[in-house]
Amino acid sequence: MNSPSRRRFLTTPIYYPSGEPHIGHAYTTILADVLARFWRQDGLDVFFLTGTDEHGQKMLEEATRRGMTARELSDQMSARFKAAWKDLDISHDRFIRTTEPDHVAVVTAFLERLWNKGEIYEGKYSGWYCIYEERYWTEKDLGPDHACPDCGRPTREIEEKNYFFRMGAYQQRLLDHIRDNPEWIQPTIRRNEILGFLAQPLEDLSISRPKSRVSWGIPLPWDPEHVAYVWVDALINYVTGSDAIDPTRAPAEQGFEDTSASRWPADVHLMGKDILTTHAVYWPTLLMGAGLPLPKGILAHGFWVAGEQKMSKSFGNVIDPLQLRERFGTDAVRWYLLREMPTGQDASFTPERFLVRYDELANVLGNLASRTLGMTDKYRQGRIPDAPGTGLDGEIAATLATIRASVAGYRLHDALAAAMDLARRANGYVEEREPWAQAKDPGRAADLDETLATLVRTLAALTAFLQPVCPGKMVELAARLGLNAVPRLEEVDRVRLGGNQVRKGEPLFPRAELLDAAAAKAP
Ligand code: ME8
């Protein structure tokens, strides 16, 4: 049995399946996946939740536009997200859909709890609504011609009965929490943004929409003519996925305060900076209202941009991660996205940068693997010498320490850079040791054994360090070193390799020009 502190629960946003999965969705999901895999490799018991956000007006309108029902559209498109995550080797433990009965039941129980506690009151909303962002705006926020300040699309004027959550009452408690827990919202720039937001009085939150306007949603238990606001419905998925609330029990019996038997609270919610306010203000105050503990951390990453524009489906300039995958392979797409974007900052997607990063895989790591396997094959008939192979042990240990610290600080780009630096260093070691010269001199057989054993040992460590980002290729590389599995992080300094038979094989990451040539030859 793992002790509770060995458990980790991490989440991505649940995406709107009103369009195709794109590179932005892929980035957050791969970021979560790499983190989950690092944690698992460190022996932690991880639960990784992702999924789709299927209710609301946007889904309904898109379905109508396509001549489908909202349910048909969500069935079709959530399957597309699932398939994309399979292709990108995402190792989630649950793919949640907000239309699933257990989620509907948890949302109902959660809202009933707030209602019974007097946290919700009836009121009237008048203002402007952007269905694309699924949010209200006040007149002063709007752009010219009442355009949405976020996406630039037209908003609609609305006046309707709504139920409101007493969010404003939790402003001070939330501020205290953020101040007492400086690491709670990461990175600091995002924390400051939320502190800035909370410097203004916090209004109450409209948590419902009249069914007459938005029929596609979860009815409120005390007034079925109204449905839950899609953001409230969506945020609660994190609790549904944690099994903290048993929806089969009546709300009065719900042990909301005791979540110890469940995965709640989440260790980290990952998301893009676009949806930080909903996660760092709406969500924690809703949890406070319901009497549930807060998530332990919130990480808002930056945006992939093409040129100056943010890249998302509203701009139609989205790059299809699956097309890149067809040409370069899943691991190369994962590598590029995580290596190129410093967690928290924006990054610009360009084919040139993709090739620069791909080149690291082909010419640094791939080259190290090819020459190590090739020389073991050529000089030792493929048998790894039984020598200590400690020539780069200091570097391996230092790399492991950097990786551990970087992962703990969610700086995955630094972790990956450190691993690639180790591969670079090992290539330098080859140049220094000149194994081809050692091979010519029978008196230096022991030196050659040590060189080869050191290189193989470094490659084995690299499979462990890079497996979270390149799971397919690192499993393959470990197998070529005669290992049954990629070593755990804590095992990298005691992997037994001497006597194993290596398999040289094709290049792990063919050079880009080779890929081009292969593509040109294909019928
Ligand atoms: O907001 N760069 O769903 P969504 C990086 N359903 N990440 C990007 C990106 C880009 N250009 N574009 C999108 C929703 N993303 C709600 C969430 S959660 C309870 C409900 C990623 O389909 C990033 O993670 O619009 C962003 O936060 C998310 O997709 C928005 O996905």
Side-chain angles (χ1 to χ4, degrees), residues 237-319:
N237 96 83
Y238 301 133
V239 166
T240 310
S242 77
D243 288 337
I245 296 178
D246 177 357
T248 60
R249 287 166 60 189
E253 309 165 32
Q254 292 287 342
F256 272 63
E257 281 81 8
D258 183 11
T259 55
S260 54
S262 78
R263 286 180 282 270
W264 193 256
D267 290 274
V268 62
H269 291 316
L270 303 180
M271 76 216 64
K273 63 184 183 181
D274 54 330
I275 55 173
L276 176 62
T277 312
T278 48
H279 283 82
V281 180
Y282 298 6
W283 182 225
T285 52
L286 283 164
L287 288 165
M288 287 172 184
L292 279 162
L294 303 191
K296 292 185 201 154
I298 292 173
L299 175 66
H301 63 70
F303 254 62
W304 283 97
V305 293
E308 291 301 300
Q309 238 179 15
K310 90 172 177 179
M311 210 155 48
S312 73
K313 52 183 180 304
S314 29
F315 292 99
N317 58 355
V318 176
I319 312 245

Coordinates of all heavy atoms in Angstrom, one line a residue, residues 237-319:
N237 N -15.7 18.7 -12.7 CA -15.2 17.4 -13.2 C -14.0 16.9 -12.3 O -13.7 15.7 -12.2 CB -14.8 17.5 -14.6 CG -13.3 17.8 -14.9 OD1 -12.5 16.9 -14.9 ND2 -13.0 19.1 -15.0
Y238 N -13.2 17.9 -11.8 CA -12.1 17.5 -11.0 C -12.4 16.7 -9.8 O -11.7 15.8 -9.3 CB -11.2 18.7 -10.7 CG -10.8 19.6 -11.9 CD1 -10.9 21.0 -11.9 CD2 -10.2 19.0 -13.0 CE1 -10.5 21.7 -13.0 CE2 -9.8 19.7 -14.1 CZ -10.0 21.1 -14.1 OH -9.5 21.8 -15.1
V239 N -13.6 17.1 -9.2 CA -14.0 16.4 -8.0 C -14.7 15.0 -8.4 O -14.4 14.0 -7.8 CB -15.0 17.3 -7.2 CG1 -15.8 16.4 -6.2 CG2 -14.3 18.4 -6.5
T240 N -15.4 15.1 -9.5 CA -16.0 13.8 -10.0 C -14.8 12.8 -10.2 O -14.9 11.6 -9.7 CB -16.7 14.0 -11.3 OG1 -17.6 15.1 -11.2 CG2 -17.4 12.7 -11.7
G241 N -13.8 13.2 -10.9 CA -12.7 12.3 -11.2 C -11.9 11.9 -10.0 O -11.1 10.9 -10.1
S242 N -12.1 12.6 -8.9 CA -11.3 12.2 -7.7 C -12.1 11.2 -6.8 O -11.5 10.7 -5.8 CB -11.1 13.5 -6.8 OG -12.3 13.8 -6.1
D243 N -13.3 11.0 -7.2 CA -14.2 10.1 -6.3 C -14.4 10.6 -4.9 O -14.7 9.8 -4.0 CB -13.6 8.7 -6.3 CG -13.8 7.9 -7.6 OD1 -14.7 8.3 -8.4 OD2 -13.0 7.0 -7.8
A244 N -14.3 11.9 -4.7 CA -14.5 12.5 -3.4 C -16.0 12.5 -3.0 O -16.3 12.4 -1.8 CB -14.0 13.9 -3.3
I245 N -16.9 12.6 -4.0 CA -18.3 12.6 -3.7 C -19.0 11.4 -4.2 O -18.9 11.1 -5.4 CB -19.0 13.9 -4.3 CG1 -18.3 15.1 -3.6 CG2 -20.5 13.9 -4.1 CD1 -18.8 16.4 -4.2
D246 N -19.7 10.7 -3.4 CA -20.4 9.5 -3.8 C -21.8 10.0 -4.2 O -22.7 10.3 -3.3 CB -20.5 8.5 -2.7 CG -21.3 7.3 -3.1 OD1 -21.9 7.3 -4.2 OD2 -21.4 6.3 -2.3
P247 N -22.1 10.0 -5.5 CA -23.4 10.6 -5.9 C -24.6 9.7 -5.6 O -25.7 10.2 -5.7 CB -23.3 10.8 -7.4 CG -22.2 9.8 -7.8 CD -21.3 9.6 -6.6
T248 N -24.3 8.5 -5.2 CA -25.5 7.6 -4.8 C -26.0 7.9 -3.4 O -27.0 7.4 -3.1 CB -25.1 6.1 -4.9 OG1 -24.0 5.9 -4.0 CG2 -24.6 5.8 -6.3
R249 N -25.2 8.7 -2.7 CA -25.7 9.0 -1.3 C -26.4 10.3 -1.3 O -26.1 11.2 -2.1 CB -24.5 9.1 -0.3 CG -24.0 7.7 0.0 CD -22.6 7.8 0.6 NE -22.7 8.5 1.9 CZ -21.6 8.9 2.5 NH1 -20.4 8.6 2.1 NH2 -21.7 9.5 3.7
A250 N -27.5 10.5 -0.5 CA -28.2 11.7 -0.4 C -27.3 12.8 0.0 O -26.4 12.6 0.8 CB -29.4 11.5 0.6
P251 N -27.6 14.1 -0.5 CA -26.6 15.2 -0.2 C -26.4 15.4 1.3 O -25.3 15.7 1.8 CB -27.3 16.4 -0.8 CG -28.4 15.9 -1.6 CD -28.7 14.5 -1.3
A252 N -27.5 15.1 2.1 CA -27.4 15.4 3.6 C -26.3 14.4 4.2 O -25.7 14.8 5.2 CB -28.7 15.2 4.3
E253 N -26.2 13.3 3.6 CA -25.2 12.3 4.1 C -23.8 12.5 3.6 O -22.9 11.8 4.0 CB -25.6 10.9 3.8 CG -27.0 10.4 4.0 CD -27.2 9.1 3.2 OE1 -26.3 8.3 3.1 OE2 -28.4 8.9 2.8
Q254 N -23.7 13.4 2.6 CA -22.4 13.5 1.9 C -21.3 13.9 2.9 O -21.5 14.9 3.6 CB -22.4 14.5 0.8 CG -23.3 14.1 -0.3 CD -22.6 13.0 -1.2 OE1 -21.4 12.8 -1.1 NE2 -23.4 12.4 -2.0
G255 N -20.3 13.2 3.0 CA -19.1 13.6 3.8 C -18.2 14.5 3.0 O -17.1 14.1 2.7
F256 N -18.7 15.7 2.7 CA -17.9 16.6 1.9 C -16.5 17.0 2.5 O -15.5 17.1 1.9 CB -18.6 17.9 1.6 CG -19.5 17.8 0.4 CD1 -20.6 17.0 0.3 CD2 -19.3 18.7 -0.7 CE1 -21.4 16.9 -0.8 CE2 -20.1 18.6 -1.8 CZ -21.2 17.7 -1.9
E257 N -16.6 17.1 3.9 CA -15.4 17.6 4.5 C -14.3 16.5 4.6 O -13.1 16.8 4.6 CB -15.6 18.1 5.9 CG -16.2 19.5 6.0 CD -17.7 19.5 5.7 OE1 -18.3 18.5 5.6 OE2 -18.2 20.6 5.5
D258 N -14.7 15.2 4.6 CA -13.8 14.1 4.7 C -13.5 13.5 3.4 O -14.3 12.7 2.9 CB -14.2 13.1 5.7 CG -13.2 12.0 5.9 OD1 -12.0 12.2 5.4 OD2 -13.5 10.9 6.4
T259 N -12.4 13.9 2.8 CA -12.0 13.5 1.5 C -10.9 12.5 1.5 O -10.3 12.1 0.5 CB -11.7 14.6 0.5 OG1 -10.6 15.3 1.1 CG2 -12.8 15.5 0.3
S260 N -10.5 12.0 2.7 CA -9.3 11.3 2.9 C -9.3 10.0 2.1 O -8.2 9.5 1.7 CB -9.0 11.1 4.4 OG -10.1 10.5 5.0
A261 N -10.4 9.4 1.9 CA -10.4 8.1 1.2 C -10.4 8.3 -0.3 O -10.3 7.4 -1.1 CB -11.7 7.3 1.6
S262 N -10.5 9.6 -0.8 CA -10.5 9.8 -2.2 C -9.2 10.4 -2.7 O -8.2 10.6 -1.9 CB -11.6 10.8 -2.5 OG -11.2 12.2 -2.2
R263 N -9.1 10.8 -4.0 CA -7.9 11.4 -4.5 C -7.9 12.9 -4.3 O -6.9 13.6 -4.6 CB -7.8 11.1 -6.0 CG -7.4 9.7 -6.3 CD -7.3 9.5 -7.8 NE -8.6 9.3 -8.4 CZ -9.2 8.2 -8.5 NH1 -8.6 7.1 -8.1 NH2 -10.4 8.1 -9.0
W264 N -9.1 13.5 -3.8 CA -9.1 14.9 -3.6 C -8.3 15.3 -2.4 O -8.3 14.5 -1.4 CB -10.6 15.4 -3.5 CG -10.7 16.8 -3.6 CD1 -10.9 17.7 -2.6 CD2 -10.5 17.6 -4.8 NE1 -10.8 19.0 -3.1 CE2 -10.5 19.0 -4.4 CE3 -10.2 17.3 -6.1 CZ2 -10.4 20.0 -5.3 CZ3 -10.0 18.3 -7.0 CH2 -10.1 19.6 -6.6
P265 N -7.6 16.4 -2.3 CA -7.5 17.4 -3.3 C -6.5 17.1 -4.4 O -5.5 16.4 -4.1 CB -7.1 18.7 -2.5 CG -6.3 18.1 -1.4 CD -7.0 16.8 -1.0
A266 N -6.7 17.7 -5.6 CA -5.7 17.5 -6.7 C -4.4 18.1 -6.3 O -4.3 19.1 -5.5 CB -6.2 18.2 -7.9
D267 N -3.3 17.5 -6.7 CA -2.0 18.1 -6.5 C -1.7 19.2 -7.4 O -1.2 20.2 -7.0 CB -0.9 17.0 -6.7 CG -1.0 16.0 -5.6 OD1 -0.3 16.2 -4.6 OD2 -1.7 15.0 -5.8
V268 N -2.1 19.1 -8.7 CA -2.0 20.3 -9.5 C -3.0 20.2 -10.7 O -3.3 19.2 -11.2 CB -0.5 20.4 -10.1 CG1 -0.1 19.2 -10.9 CG2 -0.3 21.6 -10.9
H269 N -3.6 21.4 -10.9 CA -4.4 21.6 -12.1 C -3.6 22.3 -13.1 O -3.0 23.4 -12.8 CB -5.6 22.6 -11.8 CG -6.7 22.0 -10.9 ND1 -7.2 20.7 -11.0 CD2 -7.3 22.6 -9.8 CE1 -8.1 20.5 -10.1 NE2 -8.2 21.6 -9.3
L270 N -3.4 21.7 -14.3 CA -2.7 22.4 -15.3 C -3.6 23.0 -16.3 O -4.7 22.5 -16.6 CB -1.8 21.3 -16.1 CG -0.8 20.5 -15.4 CD1 -0.1 19.6 -16.4 CD2 0.2 21.4 -14.7
M271 N -3.2 24.1 -16.9 CA -4.1 24.8 -17.9 C -3.3 25.9 -18.6 O -2.2 26.2 -18.1 CB -5.3 25.5 -17.1 CG -4.9 26.7 -16.4 SD -5.7 27.0 -14.9 CE -5.2 25.7 -13.9
G272 N -3.9 26.5 -19.6 CA -3.3 27.6 -20.3 C -3.7 28.9 -19.5 O -4.7 28.9 -18.7
K273 N -2.9 30.0 -19.7 CA -3.2 31.2 -19.0 C -4.5 31.8 -19.3 O -5.0 32.7 -18.5 CB -2.1 32.2 -19.3 CG -2.0 32.6 -20.7 CD -0.8 33.5 -21.0 CE -0.9 34.0 -22.5 NZ 0.2 34.8 -22.9
D274 N -5.2 31.4 -20.4 CA -6.5 31.9 -20.7 C -7.6 31.6 -19.7 O -8.6 32.3 -19.6 CB -6.9 31.4 -22.1 CG -6.9 29.9 -22.2 OD1 -6.1 29.2 -21.5 OD2 -7.7 29.3 -23.0
I275 N -7.4 30.5 -19.0 CA -8.5 30.1 -18.1 C -8.0 30.0 -16.7 O -8.5 29.2 -15.9 CB -9.1 28.8 -18.6 CG1 -8.1 27.7 -18.8 CG2 -9.9 29.0 -19.9 CD1 -8.7 26.3 -19.1
L276 N -7.1 30.9 -16.3 CA -6.6 31.0 -15.0 C -7.7 31.5 -14.0 O -7.8 30.9 -12.9 CB -5.3 31.9 -14.9 CG -4.7 32.0 -13.5 CD1 -4.3 30.7 -13.0 CD2 -3.6 33.0 -13.6
T277 N -8.4 32.5 -14.4 CA -9.3 33.1 -13.4 C -10.4 32.1 -13.0 O -10.7 32.0 -11.8 CB -10.0 34.3 -14.0 OG1 -9.0 35.2 -14.6 CG2 -10.8 35.1 -13.0
T278 N -10.9 31.3 -13.9 CA -11.9 30.4 -13.5 C -11.3 29.3 -12.6 O -12.0 28.9 -11.6 CB -12.4 29.6 -14.8 OG1 -11.3 29.2 -15.6 CG2 -13.3 30.5 -15.6
H279 N -10.0 29.0 -12.8 CA -9.4 28.0 -11.9 C -8.9 28.5 -10.6 O -8.8 27.8 -9.6 CB -8.3 27.3 -12.6 CG -8.7 26.3 -13.6 ND1 -9.2 26.6 -14.9 CD2 -8.9 24.9 -13.5 CE1 -9.6 25.5 -15.5 NE2 -9.4 24.5 -14.7
A280 N -8.5 29.8 -10.6 CA -7.8 30.3 -9.4 C -8.7 31.2 -8.6 O -8.4 31.6 -7.5 CB -6.6 31.1 -9.8
V281 N -9.9 31.5 -9.1 CA -10.9 32.3 -8.4 C -12.2 31.6 -8.2 O -12.7 31.3 -7.1 CB -11.1 33.7 -9.0 CG1 -12.1 34.5 -8.2 CG2 -9.8 34.5 -9.1
Y282 N -12.9 31.3 -9.4 CA -14.2 30.6 -9.3 C -14.1 29.3 -8.5 O -14.9 29.0 -7.6 CB -14.8 30.3 -10.6 CG -15.1 31.5 -11.6 CD1 -14.7 32.8 -11.3 CD2 -15.7 31.2 -12.8 CE1 -15.0 33.8 -12.2 CE2 -16.0 32.3 -13.7 CZ -15.6 33.5 -13.4 OH -15.9 34.5 -14.3
W283 N -13.1 28.5 -9.0 CA -13.1 27.1 -8.5 C -12.8 27.1 -7.0 O -13.5 26.4 -6.2 CB -12.1 26.3 -9.3 CG -11.9 24.9 -9.0 CD1 -10.7 24.2 -8.9 CD2 -13.0 23.9 -8.7 NE1 -11.0 22.9 -8.6 CE2 -12.3 22.7 -8.5 CE3 -14.3 24.0 -8.7 CZ2 -13.0 21.5 -8.2 CZ3 -15.1 22.8 -8.4 CH2 -14.4 21.6 -8.1
P284 N -11.7 27.7 -6.5 CA -11.4 27.6 -5.1 C -12.6 28.2 -4.2 O -12.9 27.7 -3.1 CB -10.2 28.4 -4.9 CG -9.9 29.2 -6.1 CD -10.6 28.5 -7.2
T285 N -13.2 29.3 -4.7 CA -14.3 29.8 -3.9 C -15.5 28.9 -3.9 O -16.2 28.7 -2.8 CB -14.7 31.2 -4.3 OG1 -15.0 31.2 -5.7 CG2 -13.7 32.3 -4.0
L286 N -15.8 28.2 -5.0 CA -16.9 27.2 -5.0 C -16.5 26.1 -4.0 O -17.4 25.6 -3.3 CB -17.0 26.7 -6.4 CG -17.8 27.5 -7.4 CD1 -17.5 27.1 -8.9 CD2 -19.3 27.6 -7.1
L287 N -15.3 25.7 -4.0 CA -14.9 24.6 -3.1 C -15.0 25.1 -1.6 O -15.5 24.3 -0.8 CB -13.4 24.2 -3.4 CG -13.2 23.4 -4.7 CD1 -11.7 23.4 -5.0 CD2 -13.7 22.0 -4.5
M288 N -14.7 26.3 -1.4 CA -14.8 26.8 0.0 C -16.3 26.8 0.4 O -16.7 26.4 1.5 CB -14.3 28.3 0.1 CG -12.8 28.4 0.0 SD -12.4 30.2 -0.1 CE -10.6 30.1 -0.3
G289 N -17.1 27.2 -0.6 CA -18.6 27.2 -0.3 C -19.1 25.9 0.0 O -20.0 25.7 0.8
A290 N -18.6 24.9 -0.7 CA -19.1 23.5 -0.6 C -18.4 22.8 0.6 O -18.8 21.7 1.0 CB -18.8 22.7 -1.8
G291 N -17.4 23.4 1.2 CA -16.7 22.8 2.3 C -15.7 21.7 1.9 O -15.4 20.8 2.6
L292 N -15.1 21.9 0.7 CA -14.1 20.9 0.3 C -12.7 21.6 0.3 O -12.6 22.8 0.1 CB -14.4 20.5 -1.2 CG -15.5 19.4 -1.4 CD1 -15.9 19.4 -2.8 CD2 -14.9 18.0 -1.0
P293 N -11.7 20.8 0.5 CA -10.3 21.4 0.5 C -9.9 21.9 -0.9 O -10.5 21.4 -1.9 CB -9.4 20.2 0.9 CG -10.3 19.1 1.3 CD -11.7 19.3 0.8
L294 N -9.0 22.8 -0.9 CA -8.6 23.4 -2.2 C -7.5 22.5 -2.8 O -6.8 21.8 -2.2 CB -8.0 24.8 -1.9 CG -8.9 25.8 -1.2 CD1 -8.2 27.2 -1.3 CD2 -10.3 25.8 -1.8
P295 N -7.4 22.6 -4.2 CA -6.3 21.9 -4.8 C -5.0 22.4 -4.3 O -4.9 23.6 -3.8 CB -6.5 22.3 -6.3 CG -7.3 23.6 -6.3 CD -8.2 23.4 -5.1
K296 N -4.0 21.6 -4.4 CA -2.7 22.0 -3.8 C -1.9 22.9 -4.7 O -1.0 23.7 -4.2 CB -1.8 20.8 -3.5 CG -2.4 19.9 -2.4 CD -1.5 18.8 -2.0 CE -2.3 17.7 -1.3 NZ -1.6 16.4 -1.4
G297 N -2.2 22.9 -6.0 CA -1.4 23.8 -6.8 C -2.1 24.1 -8.2 O -3.0 23.3 -8.6
I298 N -1.8 25.2 -8.8 CA -2.4 25.6 -10.1 C -1.2 26.0 -10.9 O -0.4 26.9 -10.5 CB -3.4 26.7 -9.9 CG1 -4.6 26.3 -9.1 CG2 -3.8 27.4 -11.2 CD1 -5.5 27.4 -8.7
L299 N -1.1 25.5 -12.1 CA 0.0 25.9 -13.0 C -0.6 26.3 -14.3 O -1.2 25.5 -15.0 CB 0.9 24.7 -13.2 CG 2.0 24.9 -14.2 CD1 3.0 26.0 -13.7 CD2 2.8 23.6 -14.5
A300 N -0.4 27.6 -14.6 CA -0.9 28.2 -15.9 C 0.2 28.4 -16.9 O 1.1 29.2 -16.6 CB -1.6 29.5 -15.6
H301 N 0.2 27.6 -18.0 CA 1.3 27.8 -18.9 C 1.0 28.8 -20.0 O -0.2 29.4 -20.0 CB 1.6 26.4 -19.6 CG 0.5 25.9 -20.4 ND1 0.1 26.4 -21.6 CD2 -0.3 24.8 -20.2 CE1 -1.0 25.7 -22.0 NE2 -1.2 24.8 -21.2
G302 N 1.9 29.1 -20.8 CA 1.8 30.2 -21.8 C 1.1 29.7 -23.1 O 0.6 28.5 -23.1
F303 N 1.1 30.5 -24.1 CA 0.4 30.2 -25.3 C 1.3 29.9 -26.5 O 2.3 30.6 -26.6 CB -0.6 31.3 -25.6 CG -2.0 30.8 -25.4 CD1 -2.4 30.5 -24.1 CD2 -3.0 30.7 -26.4 CE1 -3.7 30.1 -23.8 CE2 -4.2 30.3 -26.1 CZ -4.6 30.0 -24.8
W304 N 1.0 28.9 -27.3 CA 1.6 28.8 -28.6 C 1.1 29.8 -29.5 O -0.1 30.0 -29.6 CB 1.4 27.4 -29.1 CG 2.2 26.4 -28.5 CD1 1.8 25.6 -27.4 CD2 3.6 26.1 -28.7 NE1 2.9 24.8 -27.0 CE2 4.0 25.1 -27.8 CE3 4.5 26.6 -29.7 CZ2 5.3 24.6 -27.8 CZ3 5.8 26.1 -29.6 CH2 6.2 25.1 -28.7
V305 N 2.0 30.6 -30.1 CA 1.5 31.6 -31.0 C 2.2 31.3 -32.4 O 3.2 30.7 -32.5 CB 1.9 33.0 -30.5 CG1 1.2 33.4 -29.3 CG2 3.4 33.1 -30.3
A306 N 1.5 31.8 -33.4 CA 2.0 31.7 -34.8 C 2.2 33.2 -35.1 O 1.3 33.9 -35.2 CB 1.1 31.0 -35.7
G307 N 3.5 33.6 -35.2 CA 3.7 35.0 -35.4 C 3.3 35.8 -34.1 O 3.6 35.4 -33.1
E308 N 2.4 36.8 -34.3 CA 2.0 37.6 -33.1 C 0.7 37.1 -32.5 O 0.3 37.5 -31.5 CB 1.9 39.1 -33.6 CG 3.2 39.8 -33.9 CD 4.1 39.7 -32.8 OE1 3.8 40.3 -31.7 OE2 5.2 39.2 -32.9
Q309 N 0.0 36.3 -33.3 CA -1.3 35.9 -32.9 C -1.4 34.7 -32.0 O -0.6 33.8 -32.2 CB -2.1 35.6 -34.1 CG -3.3 36.5 -34.3 CD -4.1 36.2 -35.6 OE1 -3.8 35.1 -36.2 NE2 -4.9 37.0 -36.0
K310 N -2.3 34.7 -31.0 CA -2.4 33.5 -30.3 C -3.0 32.4 -31.2 O -3.8 32.8 -32.1 CB -3.2 33.6 -29.0 CG -4.6 33.5 -29.0 CD -5.2 33.5 -27.6 CE -6.7 33.4 -27.7 NZ -7.4 33.4 -26.4
M311 N -2.6 31.2 -31.0 CA -3.1 30.2 -31.9 C -4.2 29.4 -31.3 O -4.0 28.7 -30.3 CB -1.9 29.2 -32.1 CG -1.9 28.6 -33.5 SD -0.2 28.2 -33.9 CE 0.4 27.3 -32.5
S312 N -5.4 29.5 -31.8 CA -6.4 28.7 -31.2 C -7.5 28.6 -32.3 O -7.4 29.3 -33.3 CB -7.0 29.2 -29.9 OG -7.8 30.4 -30.2
K313 N -8.5 27.8 -32.1 CA -9.4 27.6 -33.2 C -10.1 28.8 -33.6 O -10.5 28.9 -34.8 CB -10.3 26.4 -33.0 CG -11.1 26.4 -31.7 CD -11.9 25.1 -31.7 CE -12.8 25.0 -30.4 NZ -12.0 25.1 -29.2
S314 N -10.3 29.8 -32.7 CA -11.0 31.0 -33.2 C -10.2 31.7 -34.2 O -10.8 32.6 -35.0 CB -11.3 31.9 -32.0 OG -10.3 31.8 -31.0
F315 N -8.9 31.5 -34.4 CA -8.1 32.2 -35.4 C -7.9 31.3 -36.6 O -7.3 31.8 -37.6 CB -6.8 32.7 -34.8 CG -7.1 33.7 -33.8 CD1 -7.1 33.4 -32.4 CD2 -7.3 35.0 -34.1 CE1 -7.3 34.4 -31.5 CE2 -7.6 36.0 -33.2 CZ -7.6 35.7 -31.9
G316 N -8.3 30.1 -36.6 CA -8.1 29.3 -37.8 C -6.7 29.1 -38.3 O -6.5 28.7 -39.4
N317 N -5.7 29.3 -37.4 CA -4.3 29.1 -37.9 C -3.7 28.0 -37.1 O -2.5 28.0 -36.7 CB -3.5 30.4 -37.7 CG -3.5 30.9 -36.2 OD1 -4.2 30.3 -35.4 ND2 -2.8 31.9 -35.9
V318 N -4.5 27.0 -36.7 CA -4.0 26.0 -35.8 C -3.2 25.0 -36.6 O -3.5 24.6 -37.7 CB -5.3 25.3 -35.2 CG1 -4.9 24.2 -34.4 CG2 -6.1 26.3 -34.4
I319 N -2.1 24.5 -35.9 CA -1.3 23.5 -36.6 C -1.8 22.2 -36.1 O -2.0 22.0 -34.9 CB 0.2 23.7 -36.2 CG1 0.5 25.2 -36.4 CG2 1.1 22.7 -36.9 CD1 1.5 25.6 -37.4

